[in-house]
Amino acid sequence: MTTPQTSDTNVDARIEVIQGDITEQDVDAIVNAANSSLLGGGGVDGAIHRAAGRQLLEECRTLGGCPTGEAKITRGYHLPARHVIHTVGPVWRGGEHGEAELLANCYRNSLALAAQHGLRTVAFPAISTGIYGYPLDEATAIAVRETRAFLATHPDIEHVTFICFGPHAYQTYLRALGR
Ligand code: ADP
Protein backbone atom coordinates (compact mmCIF):
# COMPACT_ATOMS: atom_id res chain seq x y z
CA MET A 1 0.00 0.00 0.00
CA THR A 2 1.35 3.43 -0.85
CA THR A 3 1.20 6.23 1.66
CA PRO A 4 -1.11 8.97 0.44
CA GLN A 5 0.75 12.24 -0.06
CA THR A 6 -0.61 15.50 1.22
CA SER A 7 -1.13 18.03 -1.56
CA ASP A 8 1.71 20.14 -0.12
CA THR A 9 4.19 17.30 -0.41
CA ASN A 10 2.97 16.62 -3.91
CA VAL A 11 3.43 20.26 -4.88
CA ASP A 12 6.95 20.56 -3.49
CA ALA A 13 7.99 17.36 -5.25
CA ARG A 14 7.23 19.18 -8.52
CA ILE A 15 9.50 22.14 -7.67
CA GLU A 16 13.24 21.94 -8.35
CA VAL A 17 15.99 24.47 -7.66
CA ILE A 18 19.18 24.42 -9.65
CA GLN A 19 22.15 26.69 -10.05
CA GLY A 20 22.71 27.30 -13.74
CA ASP A 21 21.94 29.19 -16.93
CA ILE A 22 18.32 29.38 -18.00
CA THR A 23 19.24 29.43 -21.69
CA GLU A 24 20.43 25.81 -21.36
CA GLN A 25 17.22 24.39 -19.92
CA ASP A 26 15.41 21.72 -21.93
CA VAL A 27 11.86 22.50 -20.86
CA ASP A 28 8.55 23.38 -22.51
CA ALA A 29 9.04 27.05 -21.58
CA ILE A 30 11.64 29.25 -19.99
CA VAL A 31 10.43 32.51 -18.52
CA ASN A 32 12.19 35.70 -19.54
CA ALA A 33 12.50 38.65 -17.15
CA ALA A 34 11.86 41.08 -19.99
CA ASN A 35 11.29 44.81 -20.11
CA SER A 36 7.99 46.24 -21.30
CA SER A 37 9.20 46.81 -24.87
CA LEU A 38 9.90 43.05 -25.26
CA LEU A 39 12.69 44.11 -27.61
CA GLY A 40 15.58 42.75 -25.56
CA GLY A 41 17.77 44.14 -22.82
CA GLY A 42 20.54 43.18 -20.44
CA GLY A 43 20.81 40.38 -17.91
CA VAL A 44 18.79 37.25 -18.50
CA ASP A 45 16.82 38.95 -21.30
CA GLY A 46 20.00 39.59 -23.30
CA ALA A 47 21.23 36.06 -22.70
CA ILE A 48 17.92 34.56 -23.90
CA HIS A 49 17.84 36.69 -27.06
CA ARG A 50 21.47 35.83 -27.88
CA ALA A 51 20.87 32.11 -27.43
CA ALA A 52 17.50 32.04 -29.26
CA GLY A 53 18.70 34.01 -32.28
CA ARG A 54 17.23 36.98 -34.08
CA GLN A 55 13.98 35.24 -35.00
CA LEU A 56 12.98 35.68 -31.35
CA LEU A 57 13.33 39.45 -31.68
CA GLU A 58 11.31 39.35 -34.92
CA GLU A 59 8.45 37.54 -33.18
CA CYS A 60 8.68 39.88 -30.16
CA ARG A 61 8.31 42.90 -32.48
CA THR A 62 4.83 41.63 -33.43
CA LEU A 63 3.62 41.53 -29.80
CA GLY A 64 3.32 45.26 -29.07
CA GLY A 65 5.13 45.15 -25.74
CA CYS A 66 3.85 43.88 -22.40
CA PRO A 67 2.63 45.70 -19.26
CA THR A 68 4.32 45.02 -15.92
CA GLY A 69 3.00 41.85 -14.28
CA GLU A 70 1.62 40.39 -17.50
CA ALA A 71 3.09 37.73 -19.78
CA LYS A 72 3.31 36.86 -23.49
CA ILE A 73 4.52 33.71 -25.21
CA THR A 74 6.76 33.11 -28.21
CA ARG A 75 8.57 30.15 -29.71
CA GLY A 76 12.04 29.28 -28.45
CA TYR A 77 13.87 29.14 -31.83
CA HIS A 78 17.49 28.05 -31.22
CA LEU A 79 16.97 27.49 -27.49
CA PRO A 80 16.54 23.97 -26.15
CA ALA A 81 13.30 25.30 -24.60
CA ARG A 82 10.31 25.07 -26.94
CA HIS A 83 8.82 28.40 -25.85
CA VAL A 84 9.74 31.62 -24.10
CA ILE A 85 7.21 33.24 -21.77
CA HIS A 86 8.12 36.91 -21.52
CA THR A 87 7.01 38.61 -18.34
CA VAL A 88 7.82 42.07 -17.06
CA GLY A 89 8.75 42.33 -13.41
CA PRO A 90 8.34 45.50 -11.37
CA VAL A 91 11.25 47.87 -10.80
CA TRP A 92 11.90 48.01 -7.03
CA ARG A 93 10.99 51.50 -5.77
CA GLY A 94 11.12 50.84 -2.03
CA GLY A 95 8.26 48.34 -1.75
CA GLU A 96 5.28 50.66 -1.43
CA HIS A 97 4.41 51.00 -5.08
CA GLY A 98 2.61 47.70 -5.58
CA GLU A 99 5.83 45.81 -6.28
CA ALA A 100 4.82 42.64 -4.41
CA GLU A 101 1.48 42.29 -6.19
CA LEU A 102 3.05 42.99 -9.57
CA LEU A 103 5.76 40.39 -8.99
CA ALA A 104 3.15 37.84 -7.84
CA ASN A 105 1.24 38.58 -11.07
CA CYS A 106 4.35 37.71 -13.10
CA TYR A 107 4.44 34.20 -11.62
CA ARG A 108 0.65 33.69 -11.82
CA ASN A 109 0.30 34.98 -15.36
CA SER A 110 3.35 33.10 -16.63
CA LEU A 111 2.11 29.81 -15.21
CA ALA A 112 -1.44 30.47 -16.45
CA LEU A 113 -0.10 31.09 -19.97
CA ALA A 114 1.91 27.87 -19.80
CA ALA A 115 -1.19 25.94 -18.71
CA GLN A 116 -3.32 27.51 -21.46
CA HIS A 117 -0.79 26.31 -24.03
CA GLY A 118 -0.67 22.78 -22.64
CA LEU A 119 2.92 23.15 -21.44
CA ARG A 120 4.06 20.90 -18.61
CA THR A 121 7.56 22.02 -17.65
CA VAL A 122 8.56 25.61 -16.91
CA ALA A 123 11.81 27.21 -15.73
CA PHE A 124 11.94 30.63 -14.02
CA PRO A 125 14.79 33.03 -13.36
CA ALA A 126 14.64 35.22 -10.24
CA ILE A 127 12.46 37.90 -11.87
CA SER A 128 13.23 41.54 -10.94
CA THR A 129 16.19 40.65 -8.70
CA GLY A 130 18.90 41.87 -11.08
CA ILE A 131 18.82 45.23 -12.81
CA TYR A 132 15.31 45.91 -11.39
CA GLY A 133 16.69 45.74 -7.83
CA TYR A 134 14.01 43.69 -6.02
CA PRO A 135 15.48 42.33 -2.73
CA LEU A 136 16.24 38.67 -3.30
CA ASP A 137 14.73 37.30 -0.06
CA GLU A 138 11.41 39.02 -0.64
CA ALA A 139 11.27 38.15 -4.33
CA THR A 140 12.07 34.52 -3.60
CA ALA A 141 9.31 34.26 -1.00
CA ILE A 142 6.82 35.51 -3.61
CA ALA A 143 8.14 33.16 -6.29
CA VAL A 144 7.81 30.15 -4.00
CA ARG A 145 4.40 31.11 -2.58
CA GLU A 146 2.83 31.78 -5.98
CA THR A 147 4.31 28.70 -7.61
CA ARG A 148 3.11 26.44 -4.79
CA ALA A 149 -0.38 27.94 -4.98
CA PHE A 150 -0.58 27.53 -8.73
CA LEU A 151 0.70 23.94 -8.75
CA ALA A 152 -1.77 22.98 -6.03
CA THR A 153 -4.65 23.81 -8.38
CA HIS A 154 -3.02 22.85 -11.71
CA PRO A 155 -1.86 19.23 -11.81
CA ASP A 156 -1.28 19.65 -15.56
CA ILE A 157 1.90 21.66 -14.84
CA GLU A 158 4.22 18.82 -13.93
CA HIS A 159 7.45 20.54 -13.05
CA VAL A 160 8.73 24.03 -12.23
CA THR A 161 12.45 24.74 -11.98
CA PHE A 162 13.91 27.84 -10.36
CA ILE A 163 17.17 28.63 -12.12
CA CYS A 164 19.58 30.39 -9.79
CA PHE A 165 22.40 32.37 -11.34
CA GLY A 166 24.91 31.90 -8.54
CA PRO A 167 25.28 30.31 -5.11
CA HIS A 168 23.63 33.13 -3.16
CA ALA A 169 20.35 32.87 -5.07
CA TYR A 170 20.57 29.07 -4.90
CA GLN A 171 20.86 29.10 -1.09
CA THR A 172 18.06 31.65 -0.82
CA TYR A 173 15.66 29.48 -2.84
CA LEU A 174 16.56 26.34 -0.90
CA ARG A 175 15.89 28.15 2.35
CA ALA A 176 12.56 29.52 1.11
CA LEU A 177 11.49 25.99 0.23
CA GLY A 178 12.62 24.63 3.59
CA ARG A 179 15.34 22.43 2.05
P1 ADP B 1 15.45 42.15 -13.96
O1 ADP B 1 15.57 43.32 -14.89
O2 ADP B 1 14.06 41.55 -13.95
O3 ADP B 1 16.00 42.42 -12.60
P2 ADP B 1 17.86 40.67 -14.71
O4 ADP B 1 18.08 39.92 -15.95
O5 ADP B 1 18.73 41.85 -14.44
O6 ADP B 1 16.30 41.01 -14.66
O7 ADP B 1 18.02 39.68 -13.47
C1 ADP B 1 17.06 38.73 -13.07
C2 ADP B 1 17.77 37.56 -12.45
O8 ADP B 1 18.28 36.72 -13.49
C3 ADP B 1 18.98 37.94 -11.60
O9 ADP B 1 18.91 37.19 -10.39
C4 ADP B 1 20.16 37.51 -12.44
O10 ADP B 1 21.26 37.11 -11.63
C5 ADP B 1 19.60 36.32 -13.17
N1 ADP B 1 20.24 35.93 -14.43
C6 ADP B 1 21.02 36.65 -15.26
N2 ADP B 1 21.41 35.90 -16.31
C7 ADP B 1 20.85 34.67 -16.14
C8 ADP B 1 20.90 33.44 -16.86
N3 ADP B 1 21.57 33.31 -18.01
N4 ADP B 1 20.20 32.38 -16.35
C9 ADP B 1 19.50 32.47 -15.20
N5 ADP B 1 19.42 33.60 -14.48
C10 ADP B 1 20.10 34.68 -14.93
Side-chain angles (χ1 to χ4, degrees):
M1 200 179 91
T2 53
T3 311
Q5 288 189 315
T6 67
S7 59
D8 260 354
T9 309
N10 185 35
V11 162
D12 274 20
R14 288 149 60 205
I15 300 177
E16 185 181 4
V17 184
I18 66 170
Q19 199 180 309
D21 182 338
I22 203 163
T23 65
E24 295 171 3
Q25 305 304 311
D26 182 3
V27 288
D28 291 337
I30 60 171
V31 176
N32 182 16
N35 60 53
S36 57
S37 75
L38 299 185
L39 299 180
V44 73
D45 193 7
I48 288 171
H49 275 272
R50 275 194 300 280
R54 63 169 300 105
Q55 287 166 293
L56 178 61
L57 181 60
E58 283 162 22
E59 186 174 357
C60 282
R61 281 194 218 283
T62 69
L63 299 178
C66 183
T68 303
E70 296 186 18
K72 297 199 176 175
I73 189 166
T74 64
R75 292 169 56 194
Y77 300 100
H78 294 301
L79 291 162
R82 269 71 73 195
H83 298 85
V84 180
I85 293 173
H86 306 262
T87 191
V88 182
V91 176
W92 179 258
R93 295 196 290 142
E96 291 180 357
H97 295 84
E99 291 95 329
E101 188 58 23
L102 290 167
L103 186 60
N105 287 345
C106 288
Y107 287 91
R108 289 185 205 129
N109 288 327
S110 295
L111 289 166
L113 199 52
Q116 278 161 28
H117 285 261
L119 311 184
R120 297 184 171 277
T121 56
V122 180
F124 280 98
I127 298 164
S128 282
T129 67
I131 298 160
Y132 282 3
Y134 209 115
L136 184 62
D137 273 322
E138 293 174 41
T140 303
I142 291 168
V144 167
R145 183 192 74 213
E146 292 303 324
T147 300
R148 279 177 167 158
F150 194 92
L151 292 183
T153 52
H154 293 80
D156 41 323
I157 302 279
E158 289 169 5
H159 201 83
V160 170
T161 312
F162 292 120
I163 310 300
C164 301
F165 205 55
H168 179 57
Y170 182 64
Q171 293 304 329
T172 302
Y173 271 85
L174 289 181
R175 213 166 37 241
L177 283 158
R179 297 185 184 167

PDB file of all heavy atoms in Angstrom, residues 20-23 33-34 42-45 47 89 125-133 136 163-165 169, ligand 1:
ATOM      1  N   GLY A  20      22.347  27.495 -12.341  1.00  0.00           N
ATOM      2  CA  GLY A  20      22.705  27.301 -13.739  1.00  0.00           C
ATOM      3  C   GLY A  20      22.262  28.459 -14.596  1.00  0.00           C
ATOM      4  O   GLY A  20      21.947  29.540 -14.105  1.00  0.00           O
ATOM      5  N   ASP A  21      22.244  28.182 -15.900  1.00  0.00           N
ATOM      6  CA  ASP A  21      21.938  29.189 -16.927  1.00  0.00           C
ATOM      7  C   ASP A  21      20.606  28.812 -17.564  1.00  0.00           C
ATOM      8  O   ASP A  21      20.462  27.712 -18.098  1.00  0.00           O
ATOM      9  CB  ASP A  21      23.077  29.169 -17.958  1.00  0.00           C
ATOM     10  CG  ASP A  21      22.898  30.217 -19.043  1.00  0.00           C
ATOM     11  OD1 ASP A  21      21.757  30.685 -19.270  1.00  0.00           O
ATOM     12  OD2 ASP A  21      23.907  30.539 -19.680  1.00  0.00           O
ATOM     13  N   ILE A  22      19.657  29.715 -17.514  1.00  0.00           N
ATOM     14  CA  ILE A  22      18.317  29.379 -17.996  1.00  0.00           C
ATOM     15  C   ILE A  22      18.295  29.096 -19.494  1.00  0.00           C
ATOM     16  O   ILE A  22      17.436  28.360 -19.972  1.00  0.00           O
ATOM     17  CB  ILE A  22      17.301  30.486 -17.599  1.00  0.00           C
ATOM     18  CG1 ILE A  22      15.885  29.919 -17.587  1.00  0.00           C
ATOM     19  CG2 ILE A  22      17.432  31.708 -18.504  1.00  0.00           C
ATOM     20  CD1 ILE A  22      14.883  30.752 -16.838  1.00  0.00           C
ATOM     21  N   THR A  23      19.247  29.646 -20.232  1.00  0.00           N
ATOM     22  CA  THR A  23      19.243  29.426 -21.691  1.00  0.00           C
ATOM     23  C   THR A  23      19.572  27.979 -22.047  1.00  0.00           C
ATOM     24  O   THR A  23      19.397  27.579 -23.192  1.00  0.00           O
ATOM     25  CB  THR A  23      20.248  30.345 -22.411  1.00  0.00           C
ATOM     26  OG1 THR A  23      21.577  30.002 -22.007  1.00  0.00           O
ATOM     27  CG2 THR A  23      19.976  31.809 -22.120  1.00  0.00           C
ATOM     28  N   ALA A  33      12.729  37.408 -17.901  1.00  0.00           N
ATOM     29  CA  ALA A  33      12.499  38.652 -17.154  1.00  0.00           C
ATOM     30  C   ALA A  33      12.761  39.795 -18.125  1.00  0.00           C
ATOM     31  O   ALA A  33      13.864  40.326 -18.203  1.00  0.00           O
ATOM     32  CB  ALA A  33      13.427  38.717 -15.943  1.00  0.00           C
ATOM     33  N   ALA A  34      11.730  40.130 -18.885  1.00  0.00           N
ATOM     34  CA  ALA A  34      11.865  41.081 -19.993  1.00  0.00           C
ATOM     35  C   ALA A  34      11.600  42.505 -19.514  1.00  0.00           C
ATOM     36  O   ALA A  34      11.218  42.733 -18.366  1.00  0.00           O
ATOM     37  CB  ALA A  34      10.868  40.702 -21.089  1.00  0.00           C
ATOM     38  N   GLY A  42      19.361  43.787 -21.046  1.00  0.00           N
ATOM     39  CA  GLY A  42      20.541  43.175 -20.443  1.00  0.00           C
ATOM     40  C   GLY A  42      20.159  41.956 -19.629  1.00  0.00           C
ATOM     41  O   GLY A  42      19.043  41.447 -19.734  1.00  0.00           O
ATOM     42  N   GLY A  43      21.075  41.478 -18.823  1.00  0.00           N
ATOM     43  CA  GLY A  43      20.806  40.380 -17.911  1.00  0.00           C
ATOM     44  C   GLY A  43      20.287  39.139 -18.604  1.00  0.00           C
ATOM     45  O   GLY A  43      20.734  38.772 -19.698  1.00  0.00           O
ATOM     46  N   VAL A  44      19.309  38.516 -17.979  1.00  0.00           N
ATOM     47  CA  VAL A  44      18.788  37.246 -18.498  1.00  0.00           C
ATOM     48  C   VAL A  44      18.104  37.458 -19.852  1.00  0.00           C
ATOM     49  O   VAL A  44      18.149  36.582 -20.728  1.00  0.00           O
ATOM     50  CB  VAL A  44      17.868  36.588 -17.441  1.00  0.00           C
ATOM     51  CG1 VAL A  44      16.550  37.289 -17.295  1.00  0.00           C
ATOM     52  CG2 VAL A  44      17.691  35.119 -17.725  1.00  0.00           C
ATOM     53  N   ASP A  45      17.502  38.613 -20.035  1.00  0.00           N
ATOM     54  CA  ASP A  45      16.821  38.949 -21.296  1.00  0.00           C
ATOM     55  C   ASP A  45      17.825  38.922 -22.458  1.00  0.00           C
ATOM     56  O   ASP A  45      17.584  38.291 -23.507  1.00  0.00           O
ATOM     57  CB  ASP A  45      16.201  40.342 -21.127  1.00  0.00           C
ATOM     58  CG  ASP A  45      15.219  40.726 -22.203  1.00  0.00           C
ATOM     59  OD1 ASP A  45      14.880  39.870 -23.042  1.00  0.00           O
ATOM     60  OD2 ASP A  45      14.786  41.896 -22.207  1.00  0.00           O
ATOM     61  N   ALA A  47      20.718  37.421 -22.530  1.00  0.00           N
ATOM     62  CA  ALA A  47      21.234  36.057 -22.701  1.00  0.00           C
ATOM     63  C   ALA A  47      20.239  35.202 -23.488  1.00  0.00           C
ATOM     64  O   ALA A  47      20.629  34.422 -24.376  1.00  0.00           O
ATOM     65  CB  ALA A  47      21.519  35.435 -21.336  1.00  0.00           C
ATOM     66  N   GLY A  89       8.756  42.140 -14.857  1.00  0.00           N
ATOM     67  CA  GLY A  89       8.746  42.325 -13.414  1.00  0.00           C
ATOM     68  C   GLY A  89       8.717  43.803 -13.066  1.00  0.00           C
ATOM     69  O   GLY A  89       9.040  44.671 -13.881  1.00  0.00           O
ATOM     70  N   PRO A 125      13.682  32.338 -14.017  1.00  0.00           N
ATOM     71  CA  PRO A 125      14.795  33.033 -13.359  1.00  0.00           C
ATOM     72  C   PRO A 125      14.225  33.791 -12.156  1.00  0.00           C
ATOM     73  O   PRO A 125      13.008  33.801 -11.956  1.00  0.00           O
ATOM     74  CB  PRO A 125      15.253  34.028 -14.438  1.00  0.00           C
ATOM     75  CG  PRO A 125      13.959  34.424 -15.101  1.00  0.00           C
ATOM     76  CD  PRO A 125      13.047  33.193 -15.051  1.00  0.00           C
ATOM     77  N   ALA A 126      15.091  34.428 -11.397  1.00  0.00           N
ATOM     78  CA  ALA A 126      14.641  35.221 -10.245  1.00  0.00           C
ATOM     79  C   ALA A 126      14.239  36.609 -10.755  1.00  0.00           C
ATOM     80  O   ALA A 126      15.017  37.560 -10.724  1.00  0.00           O
ATOM     81  CB  ALA A 126      15.752  35.301  -9.204  1.00  0.00           C
ATOM     82  N   ILE A 127      12.978  36.696 -11.214  1.00  0.00           N
ATOM     83  CA  ILE A 127      12.456  37.904 -11.874  1.00  0.00           C
ATOM     84  C   ILE A 127      12.631  39.134 -10.980  1.00  0.00           C
ATOM     85  O   ILE A 127      12.354  39.068  -9.776  1.00  0.00           O
ATOM     86  CB  ILE A 127      10.957  37.700 -12.187  1.00  0.00           C
ATOM     87  CG1 ILE A 127      10.763  36.517 -13.151  1.00  0.00           C
ATOM     88  CG2 ILE A 127      10.339  38.974 -12.779  1.00  0.00           C
ATOM     89  CD1 ILE A 127       9.316  36.018 -13.196  1.00  0.00           C
ATOM     90  N   SER A 128      13.071  40.210 -11.586  1.00  0.00           N
ATOM     91  CA  SER A 128      13.228  41.536 -10.944  1.00  0.00           C
ATOM     92  C   SER A 128      14.414  41.664  -9.994  1.00  0.00           C
ATOM     93  O   SER A 128      14.658  42.759  -9.481  1.00  0.00           O
ATOM     94  CB  SER A 128      11.962  41.982 -10.179  1.00  0.00           C
ATOM     95  OG  SER A 128      10.987  42.463 -11.074  1.00  0.00           O
ATOM     96  N   THR A 129      15.148  40.573  -9.742  1.00  0.00           N
ATOM     97  CA  THR A 129      16.186  40.648  -8.698  1.00  0.00           C
ATOM     98  C   THR A 129      17.549  41.102  -9.215  1.00  0.00           C
ATOM     99  O   THR A 129      18.505  41.186  -8.447  1.00  0.00           O
ATOM    100  CB  THR A 129      16.375  39.298  -7.981  1.00  0.00           C
ATOM    101  OG1 THR A 129      16.930  38.358  -8.908  1.00  0.00           O
ATOM    102  CG2 THR A 129      15.070  38.788  -7.433  1.00  0.00           C
ATOM    103  N   GLY A 130      17.637  41.391 -10.515  1.00  0.00           N
ATOM    104  CA  GLY A 130      18.902  41.869 -11.076  1.00  0.00           C
ATOM    105  C   GLY A 130      18.856  43.372 -11.241  1.00  0.00           C
ATOM    106  O   GLY A 130      18.829  44.130 -10.261  1.00  0.00           O
ATOM    107  N   ILE A 131      18.807  43.802 -12.492  1.00  0.00           N
ATOM    108  CA  ILE A 131      18.816  45.235 -12.815  1.00  0.00           C
ATOM    109  C   ILE A 131      17.645  45.957 -12.143  1.00  0.00           C
ATOM    110  O   ILE A 131      17.768  47.118 -11.743  1.00  0.00           O
ATOM    111  CB  ILE A 131      18.776  45.407 -14.358  1.00  0.00           C
ATOM    112  CG1 ILE A 131      20.029  44.770 -14.999  1.00  0.00           C
ATOM    113  CG2 ILE A 131      18.649  46.870 -14.747  1.00  0.00           C
ATOM    114  CD1 ILE A 131      19.891  44.460 -16.473  1.00  0.00           C
ATOM    115  N   TYR A 132      16.505  45.280 -11.969  1.00  0.00           N
ATOM    116  CA  TYR A 132      15.314  45.913 -11.392  1.00  0.00           C
ATOM    117  C   TYR A 132      15.361  46.028  -9.868  1.00  0.00           C
ATOM    118  O   TYR A 132      14.476  46.648  -9.262  1.00  0.00           O
ATOM    119  CB  TYR A 132      14.043  45.200 -11.851  1.00  0.00           C
ATOM    120  CG  TYR A 132      13.603  45.569 -13.266  1.00  0.00           C
ATOM    121  CD1 TYR A 132      14.370  46.428 -14.051  1.00  0.00           C
ATOM    122  CD2 TYR A 132      12.425  45.073 -13.807  1.00  0.00           C
ATOM    123  CE1 TYR A 132      13.974  46.764 -15.345  1.00  0.00           C
ATOM    124  CE2 TYR A 132      12.014  45.412 -15.096  1.00  0.00           C
ATOM    125  CZ  TYR A 132      12.794  46.248 -15.860  1.00  0.00           C
ATOM    126  OH  TYR A 132      12.390  46.581 -17.134  1.00  0.00           O
ATOM    127  N   GLY A 133      16.374  45.421  -9.215  1.00  0.00           N
ATOM    128  CA  GLY A 133      16.692  45.739  -7.830  1.00  0.00           C
ATOM    129  C   GLY A 133      15.782  45.193  -6.735  1.00  0.00           C
ATOM    130  O   GLY A 133      15.853  45.641  -5.586  1.00  0.00           O
ATOM    131  N   LEU A 136      16.329  40.088  -2.943  1.00  0.00           N
ATOM    132  CA  LEU A 136      16.241  38.666  -3.296  1.00  0.00           C
ATOM    133  C   LEU A 136      15.371  37.858  -2.332  1.00  0.00           C
ATOM    134  O   LEU A 136      14.564  37.038  -2.778  1.00  0.00           O
ATOM    135  CB  LEU A 136      17.659  38.082  -3.368  1.00  0.00           C
ATOM    136  CG  LEU A 136      17.742  36.622  -3.811  1.00  0.00           C
ATOM    137  CD1 LEU A 136      17.205  36.432  -5.231  1.00  0.00           C
ATOM    138  CD2 LEU A 136      19.180  36.130  -3.721  1.00  0.00           C
ATOM    139  N   ILE A 163      15.782  28.615 -11.668  1.00  0.00           N
ATOM    140  CA  ILE A 163      17.175  28.626 -12.116  1.00  0.00           C
ATOM    141  C   ILE A 163      17.897  29.767 -11.412  1.00  0.00           C
ATOM    142  O   ILE A 163      17.568  30.944 -11.618  1.00  0.00           O
ATOM    143  CB  ILE A 163      17.276  28.824 -13.641  1.00  0.00           C
ATOM    144  CG1 ILE A 163      16.350  27.855 -14.384  1.00  0.00           C
ATOM    145  CG2 ILE A 163      18.729  28.679 -14.092  1.00  0.00           C
ATOM    146  CD1 ILE A 163      16.635  26.394 -14.148  1.00  0.00           C
ATOM    147  N   CYS A 164      18.856  29.409 -10.595  1.00  0.00           N
ATOM    148  CA  CYS A 164      19.579  30.391  -9.791  1.00  0.00           C
ATOM    149  C   CYS A 164      20.925  30.678 -10.426  1.00  0.00           C
ATOM    150  O   CYS A 164      21.693  29.755 -10.696  1.00  0.00           O
ATOM    151  CB  CYS A 164      19.765  29.863  -8.377  1.00  0.00           C
ATOM    152  SG  CYS A 164      18.189  29.503  -7.592  1.00  0.00           S
ATOM    153  N   PHE A 165      21.176  31.957 -10.653  1.00  0.00           N
ATOM    154  CA  PHE A 165      22.402  32.369 -11.338  1.00  0.00           C
ATOM    155  C   PHE A 165      23.457  32.696 -10.288  1.00  0.00           C
ATOM    156  O   PHE A 165      23.850  33.840 -10.117  1.00  0.00           O
ATOM    157  CB  PHE A 165      22.092  33.577 -12.214  1.00  0.00           C
ATOM    158  CG  PHE A 165      22.996  33.766 -13.387  1.00  0.00           C
ATOM    159  CD1 PHE A 165      23.177  32.757 -14.316  1.00  0.00           C
ATOM    160  CD2 PHE A 165      23.647  34.973 -13.600  1.00  0.00           C
ATOM    161  CE1 PHE A 165      23.992  32.938 -15.423  1.00  0.00           C
ATOM    162  CE2 PHE A 165      24.474  35.165 -14.696  1.00  0.00           C
ATOM    163  CZ  PHE A 165      24.647  34.142 -15.607  1.00  0.00           C
ATOM    164  N   ALA A 169      21.758  33.098  -4.701  1.00  0.00           N
ATOM    165  CA  ALA A 169      20.350  32.870  -5.075  1.00  0.00           C
ATOM    166  C   ALA A 169      19.960  31.418  -4.800  1.00  0.00           C
ATOM    167  O   ALA A 169      18.869  31.143  -4.279  1.00  0.00           O
ATOM    168  CB  ALA A 169      20.139  33.221  -6.546  1.00  0.00           C
TER     169      ALA A 169
HETATM  170  P1  ADP B   1      15.454  42.148 -13.955  1.00  0.00           P
HETATM  171  O1  ADP B   1      15.572  43.321 -14.887  1.00  0.00           O
HETATM  172  O2  ADP B   1      14.056  41.552 -13.951  1.00  0.00           O
HETATM  173  O3  ADP B   1      15.996  42.425 -12.597  1.00  0.00           O
HETATM  174  P2  ADP B   1      17.861  40.666 -14.706  1.00  0.00           P
HETATM  175  O4  ADP B   1      18.080  39.916 -15.951  1.00  0.00           O
HETATM  176  O5  ADP B   1      18.725  41.845 -14.438  1.00  0.00           O
HETATM  177  O6  ADP B   1      16.298  41.011 -14.661  1.00  0.00           O
HETATM  178  O7  ADP B   1      18.022  39.683 -13.468  1.00  0.00           O
HETATM  179  C1  ADP B   1      17.059  38.733 -13.075  1.00  0.00           C
HETATM  180  C2  ADP B   1      17.772  37.558 -12.450  1.00  0.00           C
HETATM  181  O8  ADP B   1      18.283  36.716 -13.485  1.00  0.00           O
HETATM  182  C3  ADP B   1      18.981  37.941 -11.595  1.00  0.00           C
HETATM  183  O9  ADP B   1      18.908  37.193 -10.388  1.00  0.00           O
HETATM  184  C4  ADP B   1      20.165  37.505 -12.441  1.00  0.00           C
HETATM  185  O10 ADP B   1      21.264  37.111 -11.632  1.00  0.00           O
HETATM  186  C5  ADP B   1      19.596  36.324 -13.175  1.00  0.00           C
HETATM  187  N1  ADP B   1      20.239  35.930 -14.432  1.00  0.00           N
HETATM  188  C6  ADP B   1      21.025  36.652 -15.259  1.00  0.00           C
HETATM  189  N2  ADP B   1      21.415  35.900 -16.313  1.00  0.00           N
HETATM  190  C7  ADP B   1      20.853  34.669 -16.141  1.00  0.00           C
HETATM  191  C8  ADP B   1      20.898  33.436 -16.858  1.00  0.00           C
HETATM  192  N3  ADP B   1      21.574  33.306 -18.010  1.00  0.00           N
HETATM  193  N4  ADP B   1      20.200  32.378 -16.355  1.00  0.00           N
HETATM  194  C9  ADP B   1      19.501  32.474 -15.203  1.00  0.00           C
HETATM  195  N5  ADP B   1      19.423  33.597 -14.479  1.00  0.00           N
HETATM  196  C10 ADP B   1      20.101  34.682 -14.932  1.00  0.00           C
END
